[in-house]
Amino acid sequence: VYRDAYGDDETFNSIENALSSFHSITSEAPRLYMAKLGQDGHDRGAKVIASAFHDMGMEVHVGQLFETPAEAAESAIADGAHIIGISTLAAGHTTLIPQLIDHLKAKGAEDIMVICGGVIPEKDYELLYQSGVKAIFGPGTNITSAALTTIKAAEDQMNRMHNYRQARL
């Protein structure tokens, strides 16, 4: 659907190049686990992003509504996710997202990159970045731009991990 709609769009071509580069590092497509944490039952945006990212070449698994941070971390780890995407509309992001990142660290899975989107006041961005979030996408973010940012950040993270492992050998 997106390839037909975007044709020879420069951003879409960049997405395909980034996917190819990610695949050359990991031998697989980026795997996104889409989470809805806490009492946030608004999942339409999460489903749109999940569908779009899948259509662009990522493997996407959508979690259950009302997951706890621990449940989302466990599910993402079990799915072999490279990325956890959190869609938030219910103002729990300053508590729930740092808790999720803490659960990932406790499980030795801090290599899973966390991104988030939805209704997040800009005043909260710094707290989320300091907690370990790699990208934040607010309302109106262009989907192809979000996909490209996500894939490039995941690629950078995989490169750092690969280089770190090589240095330890």
Side-chain angles (χ1 to χ4, degrees), residues 11-78:
T11 302
F12 200 86
N13 291 333
S14 295
I15 290 168
E16 290 183 334
N17 291 337
L19 285 167
S20 178
S21 182
F22 186 94
H23 189 271
S24 72
I25 298 165
T26 64
S27 300
E28 55 191 355
R31 193 170 306 114
L32 170 71
Y33 182 82
M34 183 62 77
K36 290 296 292 180
L37 302 177
Q39 295 302 306
D40 186 351
H42 302 90
D43 63 347
R44 186 176 195 179
K47 288 179 178 179
V48 168
I49 294 298
S51 177
F53 280 27
H54 179 267
D55 196 40
M56 291 180 202
M58 296 177 70
E59 184 178 328
V60 180
H61 298 191
V62 178
Q64 300 296 314
L65 286 174
F66 313 119
E67 285 184 305
T68 67
E71 290 168 337
E74 290 292 333
S75 294
I77 293 166

Side-chain angles (χ1 to χ4, degrees), residues 40-145:
D40 186 351
H42 302 90
D43 63 347
R44 186 176 195 179
K47 288 179 178 179
V48 168
I49 294 298
S51 177
F53 280 27
H54 179 267
D55 196 40
M56 291 180 202
M58 296 177 70
E59 184 178 328
V60 180
H61 298 191
V62 178
Q64 300 296 314
L65 286 174
F66 313 119
E67 285 184 305
T68 67
E71 290 168 337
E74 290 292 333
S75 294
I77 293 166
D79 282 348
H82 302 106
I83 308 155
I84 298 176
I86 301 163
S87 172
T88 182
L89 297 171
H93 56 275
T94 59
T95 304
L96 298 171
I97 294 172
Q99 287 176 5
L100 171 82
I101 292 169
D102 288 345
H103 283 289
L104 291 172
K105 289 176 183 173
K107 295 288 184 180
E110 56 272 321
D111 58 327
I112 299 176
M113 185 178 82
V114 176
I115 62 171
C116 59
V119 180
I120 302 171
E122 285 190 34
K123 68 179 182 65
D124 295 340
Y125 283 21
E126 189 58 34
L127 179 143
L128 295 172
Y129 285 131
Q130 288 178 1
S131 296
V133 170
K134 298 297 182 199
I136 302 170
F137 306 105
T141 299
N142 178 283
I143 290 177
T144 55
S145 295

